[in-house]
Amino acid sequence: MTFEPSTDPTTGSALDVDLDALRAKYRQERDRRIRPDGAAQYRRAAGEFGYYAKDPYTPWTERAPREDRVEVLVIGAGFGGLLTASRLRQQGVESLRLMDEAGDVGGTWYWNRYPGIHCDIESYVYMPLLEEIGYVPQWRYAPGEEIRRHAVAIAHHFDLYRDTLFQTRATGLSWDEEDEEWLVTTDRGDRFRARFVVTSSGTLTQPKLPGIPGIETFRGHTFHTSRWDYGYTGGNQDGDLTGLADKRVAVVGTGATGLQIIPHLGQDAQELIVFQRTPSTVDVRDNRRTDPQWAASLQPGWQRARMENFLAVLAGEPVEESLVQDGWTATTRLQRKILSGAVDTSLSPQERERQDEIADAHTMNRLRARVDEIVEDRATAEALKPWYRYMCKRPGFSDTYLPTFNRPNVTLVDTADTGGITRMTETAVVVGDTEYEVDCVIFATGFEVGVSGVISGTLPVVGRGGRSLLEAWARGPRTLHGFYSHGFPNLFHLSGIQNANSVNFAHILLEQAEHIAAVIGRGHAVGARAIEPTAQAEDAWVNTVHETAIDNRAFQAECTPGYYNGEGTRSIAGASYSPGPIAFHHLLRQWREGDMGDVLVHGRLDDARASQNVGAAR
């Protein structure tokens, strides 16, 4: 046994951690949940299941196909697209088009309107451009509708509704070598052209469904949380789901969304059955209204300073004072297992891992003890305890989730030993040999995380020489700084691929938007014909990302299955820039101070250069 004495960081009292026993318990619980089909256990909300992804919020509007031209097309009108378009507008770009499958701006916050929805990042650092819009959020952790309305305010403030295409999905991007611009096709019959294209199609918009046998035979009511059916449930984002008063309701999924909807469903449904594969960690949320005196005291530049401070604390960088003190800033050391950032190089890797594991055990022991303190039924409490390392799943926060299981009308069904729900019949959800008769099934099963249309191939991209982006990335993504790729001129991506990462991804998107706008602005200023990284610059960056990558494969292999580790089948090591967002943003600023010669193309992209560069890339 490895018996490690230590001290509880909260109480200062001595604690002992039996690491060998804890590892064995974690491994046992992981093995109960691993499925051989991995991520294939889910199915897309497409084809015969496409109705799960239909827009319930905006009536369909017919329009004639577009065959015009714009200077910049931004695909995606969530925060990434809005921020990029805003910064481009500030650069003086007038011919600018936003395009999105949704009926309005907002991205994730357009689609997700379920009861109880709040951001789990402090609103003062999460909601971008607060000072520019002149707004201070009403809550520390803002509700979804407040965030959605802020997205709309950004669009109005920067005049982004001028030339939008909503309810429109891009179906193809093809580089026209003669005219040196992109031909864009859509599912609305559009065939228009754009000199520059920015893809910000999001990674939390395409819902996924569990591949439950018989799901299509169920005759009751079903919907995905990202397309909440208030016509059936009644109520609104604040709850009051009166339509469920005589309904037996099933919820599938207990991740971040489940933590927020289940308290409302438990309060309003006649009966609620929660189907859980893996319990989430549930720490204190402690949400509260914004103090008006604090809001009135804020000085110009306050939000950028607070955002930078939060990002630095989470990245492990030294700060004089942590301005945001919450569950995220209290666990920064543990977040290094997944998120990029600085590490304590004064310790050997072995000692650093040992100390991290002990600290992790203390945090998880505290969270498991919280379950015991709140949940009255012992068997239910045991099933709700998370047995894995802290960052194996995205941490959860709620003050109302655990007490919901003390309600007499709420039942928890743990599906770990059956590999999930066994099947569905016309009237029931079946786990093992037990049937649970229900009137409604709500799928809180999340999204195709990290799979944009560009990555999945649903948005084919064909660059110079007829080469597809997926072909160029066949052995892994190839970019310069995560933004652009050799052979695909004037095409920019917003994502975490070979870029920075943080739990406050809105801040990451803001930095990405400012970088893209600055590069396009410099290109205009110096008369560059196109923007495209050289093969050499791309090679160098890919090598840098790989050489600096922190290998967390062993950690993720021991984790309970989830989207962080591809349901136990893969690692996300090396996906982003491991030294962290502070180091990455500093690197970008230094790069922008140079001549940008490795991306700005001044001569025509003629066939000779194309052949030379494609050869170098290969």
Side-chain angles (χ1 to χ4, degrees), residues 3-174:
F3 203 62
E4 300 287 357
S6 189
T7 302
D8 187 311
T10 302
T11 65
S13 60
L15 287 178
D16 294 315
V17 178
D18 188 336
L19 290 181
D20 285 340
L22 194 58
R23 292 170 189 147
K25 174 66 172 176
Y26 286 173
R27 193 169 297 118
Q28 176 189 17
E29 293 295 323
R30 177 205 63 191
D31 291 347
R32 292 175 63 203
R33 294 169 172 86
I34 285 182
R35 291 172 45 141
D37 50 356
Q41 66 188 273
Y42 296 101
R43 63 183 69 182
R44 301 195 77 221
E48 66 174 308
F49 298 101
Y51 63 91
Y52 281 100
K54 293 294 184 183
D55 187 344
Y57 312 119
T58 303
W60 182 260
T61 301
E62 294 293 342
R63 64 171 177 81
R66 296 287 188 94
E67 295 185 355
D68 54 359
R69 182 187 183 279
V70 294
E71 182 73 359
V72 183
L73 168 68
V74 178
I75 301 176
F79 276 143
L82 287 172
L83 293 171
T84 304
S86 299
R87 293 309 189 221
L88 286 169
R89 191 69 95 202
Q90 290 176 318
Q91 289 277 358
V93 177
E94 293 299 316
S95 178
L96 174 65
R97 173 172 292 161
L98 273 176
M99 186 167 72
D100 200 292
E101 295 182 53
D104 201 348
V105 301
T108 294
W109 302 104
Y110 174 87
W111 293 114
N112 289 274
R113 307 191 191 189
Y114 55 78
I117 181 171
H118 282 69
C119 185
D120 64 359
I121 304 295
E122 188 188 74
S123 62
Y124 318 126
V125 299
Y126 177 78
M127 295 169 65
L129 309 186
L130 289 174
E131 289 190 81
E132 293 180 58
I133 302 301
Y135 184 71
V136 177
Q138 299 177 30
W139 291 85
R140 188 182 188 194
Y141 300 97
E145 182 61 12
E146 185 177 14
I147 301 173
R148 187 189 70 81
R149 289 178 179 176
H150 182 62
V152 171
I154 292 173
H156 281 299
H157 184 83
F158 291 97
D159 191 21
L160 301 180
Y161 281 114
R162 187 191 310 171
D163 186 13
T164 57
L165 292 181
F166 292 125
Q167 299 176 327
T168 303
R169 179 173 60 85
T171 57
L173 297 174
S174 299

Side-chain angles (χ1 to χ4, degrees), residues 96-303:
L96 174 65
R97 173 172 292 161
L98 273 176
M99 186 167 72
D100 200 292
E101 295 182 53
D104 201 348
V105 301
T108 294
W109 302 104
Y110 174 87
W111 293 114
N112 289 274
R113 307 191 191 189
Y114 55 78
I117 181 171
H118 282 69
C119 185
D120 64 359
I121 304 295
E122 188 188 74
S123 62
Y124 318 126
V125 299
Y126 177 78
M127 295 169 65
L129 309 186
L130 289 174
E131 289 190 81
E132 293 180 58
I133 302 301
Y135 184 71
V136 177
Q138 299 177 30
W139 291 85
R140 188 182 188 194
Y141 300 97
E145 182 61 12
E146 185 177 14
I147 301 173
R148 187 189 70 81
R149 289 178 179 176
H150 182 62
V152 171
I154 292 173
H156 281 299
H157 184 83
F158 291 97
D159 191 21
L160 301 180
Y161 281 114
R162 187 191 310 171
D163 186 13
T164 57
L165 292 181
F166 292 125
Q167 299 176 327
T168 303
R169 179 173 60 85
T171 57
L173 297 174
S174 299
W175 178 251
D176 185 323
E177 299 194 36
E178 180 64 28
D179 293 329
E180 294 185 336
E181 58 190 10
W182 289 96
L183 172 63
V184 184
T185 57
T186 78
D187 63 351
R188 302 292 293 268
D190 304 301
R191 288 179 61 85
F192 62 88
R193 292 172 176 270
R195 184 182 179 198
F196 298 96
V197 175
V198 180
T199 67
S200 181
S201 51
T203 59
L204 291 175
T205 56
Q206 179 61 43
K208 67 181 181 184
L209 299 168
I212 303 171
I215 187 174
E216 70 281 357
T217 67
F218 182 68
R219 292 186 176 180
H221 198 75
T222 63
F223 57 88
H224 191 277
T225 53
S226 66
R227 310 293 191 268
W228 194 272
D229 188 351
Y230 283 109
Y232 180 82
T233 67
N236 52 42
Q237 291 183 33
D238 295 324
D240 194 26
L241 310 177
T242 55
L244 302 179
D246 61 347
K247 299 295 191 296
R248 299 165 298 176
V249 178
V251 170
V252 181
T254 56
T257 299
L259 298 191
Q260 295 181 329
I261 66 170
I262 285 169
H264 290 285
L265 294 170
Q267 178 173 307
D268 295 329
Q270 179 186 68
E271 181 182 358
L272 176 65
I273 304 174
V274 178
F275 293 91
Q276 167 193 276
R277 181 187 65 170
T278 307
S280 290
T281 57
V282 188
D283 212 338
V284 174
R285 174 70 296 163
D286 191 27
N287 197 9
R288 58 182 180 269
R289 285 192 174 275
T290 299
D291 181 354
Q293 291 185 331
W294 175 81
S297 72
L298 297 172
Q299 300 298 310
W302 72 268
Q303 190 188 27

Side-chain angles (χ1 to χ4, degrees), residues 374-393:
I374 295 174
V375 180
E376 297 165 0
D377 180 76
R378 290 301 90 200
T380 302
E382 287 303 316
L384 286 167
K385 290 179 182 178
W387 291 99
Y388 45 80
R389 294 281 292 272
Y390 185 70
M391 286 303 293
C392 284
K393 294 175 68 69

Side-chain angles (χ1 to χ4, degrees), residues 346-457:
S346 68
L347 301 174
S348 69
Q350 295 77 13
E351 178 60 19
R352 186 168 61 241
E353 172 57 31
R354 186 187 73 85
Q355 292 192 17
D356 287 350
E357 194 171 4
I358 294 170
D360 194 296
H362 291 164
T363 296
M364 294 303 291
N365 282 341
R366 176 178 60 81
L367 294 174
R368 288 187 285 265
R370 185 171 187 245
V371 178
D372 280 330
E373 293 168 1
I374 295 174
V375 180
E376 297 165 0
D377 180 76
R378 290 301 90 200
T380 302
E382 287 303 316
L384 286 167
K385 290 179 182 178
W387 291 99
Y388 45 80
R389 294 281 292 272
Y390 185 70
M391 286 303 293
C392 284
K393 294 175 68 69
R394 185 177 175 94
F397 305 89
S398 176
D399 298 329
T400 56
Y401 177 75
L402 293 175
T404 299
F405 292 95
N406 293 331
R407 291 180 171 274
N409 65 319
V410 178
T411 301
L412 178 69
V413 178
D414 189 81
T415 68
D417 291 322
T418 56
I421 294 171
T422 306
R423 58 189 174 90
M424 291 176 67
T425 70
E426 294 181 354
T427 60
V429 177
V430 183
V431 177
D433 297 325
T434 305
E435 294 191 9
Y436 298 89
E437 298 276 341
V438 293
D439 302 301
C440 172
V441 180
I442 301 172
F443 294 105
T445 45
F447 306 89
E448 296 180 354
V449 178
V451 184
S452 67
V454 171
I455 299 297
S456 68

Side-chain angles (χ1 to χ4, degrees), residues 300-365:
W302 72 268
Q303 190 188 27
R304 176 70 75 164
R306 195 175 185 89
M307 291 174 70
E308 292 286 356
N309 180 269
F310 184 66
L311 194 69
V313 170
L314 265 59
E317 301 288 344
V319 297
E320 291 185 7
E321 177 190 7
S322 176
L323 299 179
V324 179
Q325 298 187 23
D326 64 0
W328 290 110
T329 59
T331 57
T332 57
R333 178 176 178 178
L334 310 183
Q335 295 169 37
R336 295 288 73 72
K337 303 309 298 183
I338 290 293
L339 299 173
S340 54
V343 296
D344 186 355
T345 56
S346 68
L347 301 174
S348 69
Q350 295 77 13
E351 178 60 19
R352 186 168 61 241
E353 172 57 31
R354 186 187 73 85
Q355 292 192 17
D356 287 350
E357 194 171 4
I358 294 170
D360 194 296
H362 291 164
T363 296
M364 294 303 291
N365 282 341

